[in-house]
C-alpha cells in the first residue's frame, strides 16, 4: 500500500511565530530519518535531509528509496538537493513535494567531488544559474511549499549581499547562510557578514556554523538578528542541545535505541523481544553505531571510548549500553509505532515534470549514481582516534 504523509506545517509560519527557529542541518550520512526523529523529540523545529543528488533522484527508483525515507514524525522537513540544471532541480522538487514541506538548493558543499561535478559551493561562481533554478522551481511548485538556498559566504561580502538580494527577487522563501567562505573550513564564523546579509533582505535568514550549545544559538541570533539557527556537529554530539542540556542524556540514549529498533519493523506482529536484530532491515550498523559514538563523546572515559568506538556489531553495542547506562531497546505502543513507521511513498506520474523540462540530448551521470555512504567518512575517522583534534570542521555539511 502506498501512502502520502500530510504536510500541514507552513515553514514560513515558523519564522513568524517562533522566537528562534532551531534547525538540524543537512549532514551526509547523519541527518537520516532516525536521527531526524530523535532531534525532533528535543525541541528541534525543522530538519533537512542529507544532500541528495537531484539527477539520480529524478531518474532512479533505487536512488529515491535509498536517499529519501520519511514517516509521520518527520515533518516539518526540507529535502536538500544538489543540482545545476533546471530539469534536475525542479523535477526533484516536484517528485518529493507531496512528502515534505520544502526543498533547498545546496550552494555550500565544499567537497572536492561536488565541485568537480559543478555542484555545491562552485555554484556561487554562476549566480545567474542559481537564480534560474530558484525562479523556475518557485513557479512550478505551489506555496506554502518553500524553496530555499543554503550557501556559504563569498570572499567579497558585497557579492554575497548581491546574490541574496537577487534571490529574494527570484522568490526564494528564505536563505541559510554558513558564516564561512568555501576556503574556510575551520575557525570562527563571520558574524558581522551574517548580520549585514540579514539587514540587506526582507526574507528570513538562517545562520549556520560553529554552534555547540543553546546559549550559542541565542547569542548568534542576538548578534546577527537572524530568524533561525542551524546546527550540525553540535547536534551530533548532543541531540538534546536545543533543550539547553550540556551533554547527551540517558533519556536520549534510550530514545535512540527505541527509534532504531522500532523503525526497522514492518508490523507489530513481528515484535518478539526488545533487542536489536543482528541485521535489522532499513537500518545500517554504521548509522546506529556512529551516532552513538558522537553522542557518548563527552560521557565515556578515554578507555571506554576506545572500546566502544571500535565495536563491530549490534549485539556488542547493545550489551555495552546496557551495562553502562542500564537501558535496552523498548517497544513503542501502537500509536507511536504508527507515527514512526516508514511510509511507502508513491511517486507515480510525478516524473513527467522532469521529462518535460529535460532538453533532448542532455548529458547526465548514470541513473544509479548514489553518494557513497559505505566508507566511514573523514569526520567519523577523526572521532575514533585517540587525542584527535575535535574542531568544528564538518566537510560534509554544505
Amino acid at each position: 500500500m502506498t501512502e502520502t504523509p500530510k504536510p500541514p506545517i507552513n515553514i514560513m509560519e515558523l519564522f513568524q511565530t517562533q522566537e528562534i527557529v532551531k534547525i538540524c542541518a543537512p549532514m551526509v550520512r547523519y541527518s537520516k530519518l532516525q536521527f531526524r526523529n530523535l532531534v525532533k523529540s528535543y525541541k528541534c523545529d525543522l530538519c533537512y535531509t542529507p544532500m541528495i543528488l537531484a539527477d539520480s533522484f529524478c531518474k532512479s527508483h533505487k536512488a529515491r528509496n535509498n536517499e529519501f525515507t520519511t514517516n509521520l514524525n518527520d515533518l516539518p522537513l526540507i529535502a536538500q538537493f544538489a543540482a545545476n540544471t533546471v530539469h534536475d532541480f525542479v523535477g526533484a522538487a516536484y517528485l518529493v513535494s507531496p512528502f515534505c514541506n520544502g526543498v533547498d538548493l545546496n550552494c555550500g558543499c565544499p567537497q572536492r567531488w561536488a565541485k568537480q561535478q559543478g555542484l555545491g559551493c562552485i555554484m556561487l561562481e554562476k549566480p545567474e544559474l542559481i537564480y534560474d533554478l530558484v525562479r523556475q522551481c518557485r513557479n512550478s511548485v505551489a506555496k506554502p511549499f518553500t524553496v530555499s538556498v543554503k550557501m556559504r559566504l563569498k570572499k567579497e561580502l558585497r557579492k554575497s549581499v548581491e546574490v541574496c538580494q537577487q534571490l529574494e527577487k527570484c522568490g526564494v522563501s528564505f536563505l541559510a547562510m554558513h558564516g564561512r567562505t568555501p576556503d574556510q573550513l575551520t575557525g570562527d564564523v563571520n558574524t558581522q557578514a551574517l548580520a549585514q546579509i540579514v539587514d540587506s533582505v526582507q526574507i528570513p535568514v538562517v545562520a549556520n556554523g560553529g554552534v555547540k550549545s543553546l546559549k550559542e544559538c541565542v547569542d548568534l541570533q542576538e548578534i546577527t538578528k537572524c530568524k533561525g539557527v542551524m546546527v550540525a556537529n553540535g547536534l551530533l554530539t548532543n541531540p538534546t542541545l536545543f533543550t539547553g542540556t550540556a551533554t547527551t542524556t540517558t533519556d536520549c540514549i534510550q530514545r535512540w535505541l527505541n527509534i532504531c529498533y522500532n523503525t526497522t519493523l514492518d508490523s507489530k506482529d513481528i515484535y518478539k523481544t526488545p533487542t536489536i536484530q543482528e541485521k535489522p532491515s532499513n537500518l545500517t550498523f554504521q548509522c546506529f553505531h556512529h551516532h552513538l559514538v558522537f553522542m557518548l563523546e563527552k560521557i565515556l572515559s578515554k578507555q571506554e571510548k576506545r572500546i566502544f568506538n571500535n565495536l563491530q556489531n549490534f549485539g556488542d553495542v547493545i550489551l555495552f549500553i546496557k551495562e553502562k547506562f542500564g537501558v535496552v531497546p523498548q517497544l513503542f505502543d501502537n500509536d507511536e509505532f504508527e507515527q514512526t513507521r516508514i511510509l511507502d511513498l508513491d511517486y507515480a506520474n510525478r516524473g513527467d515534470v522532469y521529462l518535460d523540462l529535460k532538453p533532448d540530448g542532455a548529458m547526465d551521470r548514470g541513473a544509479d549514481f548514489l553518494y557513497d555512504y559505505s566508507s566511514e567518512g573523514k569526520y567519523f575517522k577523526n572521532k575514533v582516534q585517540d587525542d584527535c583534534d575535535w574542531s568544528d570542521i564538518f566537510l560534509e555539511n554544505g
Side-chain angles (χ1 to χ4, degrees):
M1 179 180 67
T2 56
E3 302 156 298
T4 301
K6 304 299 181 184
I9 301 170
N10 183 341
I11 289 173
M12 300 310 293
E13 291 181 356
L14 289 177
F15 291 113
Q16 296 167 5
T17 59
Q18 297 280 87
E19 185 174 346
I20 177 172
V21 181
K22 302 178 290 295
I23 304 171
C24 178
M27 295 176 280
V28 170
R29 294 183 178 87
Y30 299 119
S31 50
K32 292 285 197 173
L33 173 62
Q34 285 80 12
F35 187 69
R36 298 196 301 265
N37 280 180
L38 181 68
V39 295
K40 287 279 183 65
S41 301
Y42 299 102
K43 296 188 178 182
C44 179
D45 300 312
L46 175 64
C47 290
Y48 281 56
T49 68
M51 181 181 70
I52 301 169
L53 299 174
D55 61 345
S56 298
F57 192 83
C58 289
K59 295 191 295 290
S60 169
H61 182 71
K62 176 182 177 182
R64 290 192 285 276
N65 287 342
N66 283 358
E67 304 298 320
F68 184 83
T69 56
T70 190
N71 59 26
L72 296 179
N73 272 357
D74 202 22
L75 303 178
L77 175 67
I78 290 178
Q80 189 191 65
F81 290 103
N84 54 19
T85 65
V86 168
H87 59 277
D88 286 332
F89 186 55
V90 177
Y94 189 78
L95 272 168
V96 82
S97 59
F99 316 121
C100 61
N101 306 96
V103 291
D104 183 84
L105 178 64
N106 184 307
C107 295
C109 180
Q111 292 189 84
R112 183 180 302 173
W113 72 266
K115 291 190 285 187
Q116 289 174 341
Q117 297 191 49
L119 302 170
C121 67
I122 204 73
M123 292 279 287
L124 294 173
E125 298 178 8
K126 299 178 179 180
E128 294 295 334
L129 176 58
I130 301 174
Y131 307 152
D132 192 30
L133 267 60
V134 168
R135 187 183 302 110
Q136 296 211 42
C137 189
R138 180 68 286 165
N139 291 338
S140 299
V141 188
K143 295 180 180 180
F145 193 81
T146 61
V147 179
S148 59
V149 174
K150 187 175 188 299
M151 56 192 287
R152 285 178 175 247
L153 295 171
K154 295 175 72 71
K155 291 183 178 180
E156 295 183 51
L157 178 57
R158 173 184 58 83
K159 293 184 177 180
S160 288
V161 170
E162 290 174 358
V163 169
C164 293
Q165 290 176 332
Q166 190 60 40
L167 282 170
E168 182 176 18
K169 294 178 182 177
C170 293
V172 76
S173 305
F174 66 93
L175 296 167
M177 296 296 305
H178 188 110
R180 302 186 184 98
T181 68
D183 295 331
Q184 294 174 314
L185 302 179
T186 59
D188 295 336
V189 298
N190 189 338
T191 55
Q192 289 185 333
L194 291 173
Q196 188 166 335
I197 288 172
V198 170
D199 191 52
S200 70
V201 295
Q202 300 300 309
I203 55 176
V205 176
V206 172
N208 173 222
V211 173
K212 301 184 184 69
S213 69
L214 180 60
K215 183 181 184 303
E216 290 182 6
C217 289
V218 174
D219 291 345
L220 184 58
Q221 185 193 41
E222 289 181 351
I223 293 170
T224 65
K225 308 304 179 186
C226 62
K227 292 292 187 180
V229 174
M230 177 182 286
V231 182
N233 301 359
L235 280 176
L236 283 180
T237 304
N238 178 16
T240 67
L241 179 150
F242 288 138
T243 68
T245 60
T247 58
T248 303
T249 63
T250 302
D251 175 79
C252 181
I253 298 169
Q254 176 74 77
R255 184 68 181 168
W256 178 245
L257 299 186
N258 294 351
I259 288 173
C260 289
Y261 179 54
N262 285 271
T263 57
T264 67
L265 303 175
D266 295 323
S267 168
K268 285 293 291 270
D269 292 337
I270 64 173
Y271 282 164
K272 293 181 180 178
T273 57
T275 57
I276 294 292
Q277 302 295 314
E278 182 61 28
K279 293 183 179 180
S281 59
N282 304 316
L283 182 70
T284 66
F285 177 75
Q286 182 188 70
C287 173
F288 175 67
H289 180 234
H290 282 202
H291 276 293
L292 285 168
V293 168
F294 297 128
M295 290 159 59
L296 301 181
E297 178 259 313
K298 295 182 179 180
I299 301 174
L300 300 181
S301 68
K302 185 175 180 179
Q303 177 62 25
E304 288 172 329
K305 283 188 287 189
R306 184 178 296 113
I307 295 170
F308 182 80
N309 294 359
N310 289 285
L311 295 178
Q312 299 294 318
N313 60 71
F314 286 96
D316 287 344
V317 171
I318 292 300
L319 180 60
F320 183 103
I321 296 295
K322 180 180 179 180
E323 292 178 346
K324 176 66 178 179
F325 300 101
V327 298
V328 295
Q330 298 173 344
L331 300 178
F332 287 155
D333 60 27
N334 289 328
D335 290 341
E336 192 162 18
F337 177 80
E338 285 302 316
Q339 288 294 118
T340 57
R341 178 174 55 86
I342 295 175
L343 299 176
D344 184 10
L345 305 179
D346 183 7
Y347 296 97
N349 301 320
R350 300 198 67 82
D352 293 346
V353 168
Y354 167 76
L355 295 174
D356 290 343
L357 290 171
K358 185 178 180 180
D360 293 337
M363 298 294 292
D364 51 43
R365 61 177 70 87
D368 286 338
F369 182 94
L370 304 175
Y371 188 88
D372 179 15
Y373 295 105
S374 61
S375 65
E376 299 287 7
K378 180 178 179 181
Y379 188 61
F380 180 77
K381 288 179 180 178
N382 286 341
K383 291 294 187 186
V384 299
Q385 295 173 3
D386 290 336
D387 301 319
C388 64
D389 175 17
W390 287 31
S391 66
D392 58 359
I393 180 174
F394 197 96
L395 292 177
E396 295 164 337
N397 173 29

